[in-house]
C-alpha cells in the first residue's frame, strides 16, 4: 500500500487533546450537572459529546464511513459512559494517532453527514476540542490556555462562517467582541460564545 505524501498544512492534535484531557480530569463529579456556555448542554452532556466525537473522528480520519460519520451534529446527544474517565483519554490518544497519518489528510472524507477534504475535517475536530475545552473549563472554574497556533487555525475556520445568514452555519449568532481582544476571545465570539460568560455571571448559574 502506497503511503500518502504528507500534507503541507498538517498540524498535530496532541497539544489540544492533552489540554482537553487535563480539563476533563479536573472535573469533579459534583460539577457534572453544572451549566455550560453551550446553553443546551450541561457538563455531563458536553463530556458525552466529546467522548463521542473523539472516537468518531478516528473513523473520519481513517475514512471508515458509516453511521458514525453520517449522523448530523447534535442529532443525538450520547449518554456519558460510566467509565468516561478512562474512555476519554484513550479516545483522545487514538484521535491524535489517527490524524498523524498523512493518509487522513489526503482526499475527501465525511463528518456529520457532510463530505469534506481531509484537511478541513482535521480543522473541524481541532475546533471542536478547542471550543468545548473552553466550555468545560469555564463551566468548572479551570484555567484555559490553548496553544496560539491552534487558536490561529480555529480562527481561520470560524471566520469563514461569520457572514452567513442566521441558521445556515454550524454556530450560533456571533457575539460582538472588540477587535483588540485576545484572538481566543474573537474565536469564541465568532462561534456564538460570550467570552465573559461565568458560572455566576450573566448566562451562568
Amino acid at each position: 500500500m502506497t503511503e500518502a505524501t504528507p500534507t503541507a498544512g498538517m498540524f498535530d492534535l496532541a497539544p489540544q487533546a492533552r489540554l482537553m484531557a487535563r480539563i476533563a480530569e479536573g472535573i469533579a463529579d459534583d460539577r457534572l450537572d453544572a451549566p455550560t456556555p453551550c446553553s443546551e448542554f450541561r457538563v455531563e452532556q458536553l463530556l458525552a459529546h466529546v467522548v463521542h466525537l473523539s472516537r468518531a473522528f478516528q473513523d473520519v480520519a481513517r475514512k471508515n464511513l458509516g453511521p458514525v460519520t453520517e449522523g448530523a451534529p447534535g442529532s443525538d446527544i450520547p449518554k456519558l459512559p460510566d467509565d468516561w474517565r478512562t474512555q476519554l483519554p484513550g479516545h483522545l490518544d487514538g484521535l491524535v494517532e489517527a490524524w498523524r497519518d498523512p493518509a487522513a489528510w489526503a482526499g475527501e472524507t465525511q463528518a456529520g453527514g457532510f463530505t469534506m477534504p481531509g484537511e478541513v475535517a482535521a480543522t473541524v475536530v481541532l475546533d471542536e476540542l478547542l471550543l468545548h475545552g473552553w466550555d468545560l473549563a469555564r463551566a468548572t472554574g479551570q484555567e484555559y490556555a490553548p496553544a496560539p497556533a491552534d487558536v490561529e487555525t480555529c480562527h481561520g475556520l470560524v471566520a469563514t462562517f461569520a457572514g452567513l445568514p442566521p441558521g445556515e452555519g454550524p454556530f450560533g449568532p456571533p457575539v460582538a467582541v472588540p477587535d483588540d481582544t485576545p484572538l481566543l476571545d474573537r474565536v469564541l465570539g465568532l462561534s456564538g460564545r460570550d467570552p465573559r460568560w461565568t458560572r455566576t455571571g450573566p448566562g451562568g448559574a
Side-chain angles (χ1 to χ4, degrees), residues 16-180:
Q16 189 57 42
R18 284 195 297 265
L19 180 54
M20 174 62 81
R22 181 183 65 76
I23 294 297
E25 184 180 13
I27 297 175
D29 289 344
D30 63 2
R31 294 303 303 167
L32 292 177
D33 194 47
T36 75
C38 292
S39 58
E40 68 273 29
F41 291 116
R42 294 280 172 169
V43 168
E44 180 176 9
Q45 295 168 323
L46 195 53
L47 279 168
H49 175 63
V50 174
V51 170
H52 174 74
L53 75 86
S54 62
R55 177 63 189 88
F57 270 86
Q58 295 180 50
D59 284 349
V60 173
R62 298 185 177 107
K63 302 177 175 61
N64 293 332
L65 309 186
V68 171
T69 65
E70 291 170 357
S75 61
D76 182 25
I77 299 174
K79 183 180 183 299
L80 184 65
D82 292 338
D83 62 344
W84 67 271
R85 291 189 185 277
T86 54
Q87 271 202 40
L88 181 55
H91 287 345
L92 289 169
D93 286 345
L95 182 69
V96 170
E97 290 307 311
W99 285 99
R100 281 178 172 168
D101 183 353
W105 299 69
E108 293 188 330
T109 187
Q110 183 186 60
F114 294 95
T115 299
M116 62 188 74
E119 62 192 84
V120 173
T123 306
V124 168
V125 70
L126 176 66
D127 187 66
E128 287 275 319
L129 293 177
L130 185 137
L131 292 176
H132 292 320
W134 180 84
D135 293 331
L136 290 168
R138 188 55 61 96
T140 57
Q142 299 186 61
E143 294 296 321
Y144 191 66
D150 290 342
V151 179
E152 287 273 3
T153 299
C154 291
H155 181 262
L157 178 70
V158 297
T160 62
F161 297 101
L164 292 178
E168 291 192 12
F171 307 113
V175 174
V177 297
D179 291 339
D180 60 352

